[in-house]
Amino acid sequence: LVVPLSGEYSTIGDSIVKSTRLALNKINDEKFEIVPEDTKANPIDALKVSKALYDQGIKIIIGPVFNESTKYLDELNDVTFISLTNKIYGNPPNVISAGVNAISQLQTIDKFRNLNEIQRTIFLIPKSDYRKEVEQAIKKTKLKLKDKYFYDMDPTLLTSQIEKVTRYPERKQNLINEIERIENSSLINKEKKLEELNKKDTLGRIGYDSIIIADFNESLKSVTTSLLYTDVSPKKVAFISLNQWFDETLFREKTSQPIAFPSIDRENYFSFRDDYKKIYNESPSQIGILGYDLIGLIYYLLLKNDFEVNNKLFTEDNRFKGVSGVFEINNQKINHILTFYRVEDGKFKKIF
């Protein structure tokens, strides 16, 4: 197990170690043990401690946590690394990403779209390090979109960009023109029509029925606020985001509800958090549950392979049901079968 145990991200590494020990205690098999080492969240130390583990005969390593820390690990091509990162592109060939990646999330979103007959979707993607990951996932999943747009995370630039995406100036002008037309008309019900028009902010079709926003936390809220400003609300189009890890601050954004997202199983996630807190008197990091499940996953694969460590472990088709959900293993890749939730009326409501 190679994770950051010192420095800025040591609390994450410590939480993962504690989570894996919970899983190890549950398995209770003396043939299976965890050897934790400190990557210090940098690629040089990640390679150094991994080489030391390899010299001890270890050929399966959980970690590192961050994609950046994997960059030199192809030097140990006899070792299989199960990284907790959700980034799957640009990894060395012996690194398998076990995080909740963009492909798993888009596949779940597409299932939601099909169930609800959503057909005209635009995708809003921030100009960030995650942009390439999302673009590659769109291509890999063959997600059908009406269009996709890239926006700046700077709030001073964001609103004007969202105005262009939503055709806000045009729709605003449509309303002004229609009010003028009615005012200059001789319609019998002119006053009633004007009263109705004056209650509107814009006039005209938006042109799509759903928006996927590849963002999180305050940046996500900035995007939804800009959409509301341009008279695009979840009452008119479906708001969909990526995995929000059940961020309860979303409850406060009542005008942005409902907003839907794919995620791991909420009930199991909260049960895991409670069990962890009872033992360690603190809450786990979000990815602690992945560390817990990876112990079970690797143990399951080793059992099926008579505890022989070889290429078959991660190349053959397998499915494993963990606490966070179902893992699909195939051809050195891990995919998550996710659940889908909607934030509505101050609650997380499970859709499927």
Side-chain angles (χ1 to χ4, degrees):
L1 177 66
V2 295
V3 292
L5 298 174
S6 61
E8 182 181 356
Y9 303 105
S10 60
T11 54
I12 295 175
D14 180 62
S15 177
I16 294 168
V17 171
K18 288 175 178 174
S19 298
T20 57
R21 283 176 177 160
L22 277 179
L24 198 63
N25 289 339
K26 188 170 184 178
I27 290 170
N28 193 27
D29 187 333
E30 61 183 17
K31 296 194 296 291
F32 200 64
E33 64 176 314
I34 300 297
V35 184
E37 293 290 349
D38 183 13
T39 64
K40 301 177 184 176
N42 75 69
I44 294 173
D45 282 288
L47 175 62
K48 180 181 176 182
V49 297
S50 297
K51 189 177 186 307
L53 291 172
Y54 175 63
D55 290 342
Q56 295 176 47
I58 293 172
K59 292 188 177 181
I60 300 176
I61 296 178
I62 296 175
V65 172
F66 303 110
N67 182 256
E68 174 66 18
S69 297
T70 68
K71 64 194 297 185
Y72 303 131
L73 298 181
D74 55 349
E75 294 184 27
L76 298 172
N77 56 17
D78 286 341
V79 178
T80 299
F81 292 86
I82 316 298
S83 173
L84 289 97
T85 179
N86 62 359
K87 294 185 177 179
I88 57 177
Y89 294 98
N91 287 331
N94 59 331
V95 175
I96 302 172
S97 295
V100 182
N101 60 61
I103 288 177
S104 300
Q105 295 182 62
L106 294 194
Q107 287 174 336
T108 311
I109 288 172
D110 206 30
K111 179 180 176 181
F112 171 76
R113 293 198 314 165
N114 291 333
L115 287 173
N116 290 273
E117 298 183 347
I118 293 171
Q119 299 176 339
R120 302 184 311 280
T121 302
I122 65 167
F123 209 131
L124 303 182
I125 305 169
K127 297 175 183 176
S128 68
D129 293 341
Y130 200 48
R131 170 178 172 170
K132 185 176 180 180
E133 198 76 19
V134 173
E135 286 189 275
Q136 292 283 356
I138 291 170
K139 184 177 180 181
K140 187 75 174 178
T141 57
K142 299 179 181 178
L143 190 70
K144 293 181 180 179
L145 299 171
K146 187 177 188 327
D147 215 334
K148 64 176 184 274
Y149 301 92
F150 305 96
Y151 62 87
D152 288 284
M153 299 181 74
D154 182 347
T156 61
L157 302 172
L158 176 62
T159 300
S160 62
Q161 291 171 341
I162 296 298
E163 285 182 358
K164 291 178 182 177
V165 170
T166 60
R167 298 171 43 251
Y168 178 69
E170 181 182 336
R171 291 161 51 236
K172 188 74 173 174
Q173 189 60 50
N174 287 344
L175 179 62
I176 293 169
N177 293 344
E178 182 64 6
I179 289 173
E180 288 179 357
R181 188 185 73 80
I182 297 297
E183 284 176 338
N184 296 325
S185 73
S186 56
L187 291 171
I188 298 173
N189 59 345
K190 178 167 138 177
E191 295 305 320
K192 185 178 179 181
K193 282 190 173 290
L194 285 172
E195 183 181 351
E196 291 173 355
L197 287 170
N198 283 316
K199 290 178 182 178
K200 297 178 181 289
D201 293 318
T202 60
L203 188 65
R205 294 179 60 203
I206 299 170
Y208 37 87
D209 55 16
S210 54
I211 302 173
I212 302 173
I213 310 166
D215 222 328
F216 315 91
N217 305 319
E218 295 307 311
S219 185
L220 171 64
K221 293 165 192 171
S222 294
V223 175
T224 58
T225 299
S226 294
L227 288 168
L228 292 168
Y229 171 77
T230 60
D231 196 28
V232 176
S233 77
K235 294 178 181 178
K236 296 180 178 179
V237 300
F239 280 13
I240 305 167
S241 69
L242 300 186
N243 180 21
Q244 298 301 311
W245 285 102
F246 307 107
D247 177 6
E248 293 186 359
T249 65
L250 292 170
F251 293 162
R252 299 197 296 263
E253 310 297 312
K254 296 187 184 301
T255 53
S256 298
Q257 297 177 25
I259 183 168
F261 61 90
S263 191
I264 62 173
D265 185 276
R266 180 179 180 271
E267 186 176 340
N268 288 350
Y269 175 57
F270 278 78
S271 177
F272 166 78
R273 288 203 319 181
D274 291 342
D275 291 344
Y276 183 103
K277 198 167 185 177
K278 283 177 186 175
I279 294 172
Y280 298 116
N281 200 31
E282 62 187 25
S283 296
S285 66
Q286 289 176 339
I287 60 173
I289 192 170
L290 292 178
Y292 180 93
D293 272 348
L294 288 178
I295 294 297
L297 168 64
I298 293 169
Y299 184 71
Y300 166 75
L301 294 176
L302 285 170
L303 275 177
K304 288 191 68 177
N305 209 41
D306 297 322
F307 271 85
E308 184 179 348
V309 179
N310 56 32
N311 292 336
K312 288 172 59 179
L313 279 179
F314 298 100
T315 55
E316 295 187 346
D317 287 357
N318 270 298
R319 284 169 69 98
F320 170 76
K321 187 173 182 180
V323 175
S324 60
V326 176
F327 293 71
E328 288 186 333
I329 304 96
N330 172 256
N331 195 27
Q332 293 284 100
K333 291 181 177 61
I334 291 176
N335 189 51
H336 292 261
I337 306 300
L338 300 172
T339 46
F340 205 78
Y341 295 87
R342 178 185 287 133
V343 180
E344 190 171 19
D345 300 327
K347 296 178 182 177
F348 294 113
K349 297 184 178 180
K350 186 175 179 178
I351 308 303
F352 60 77

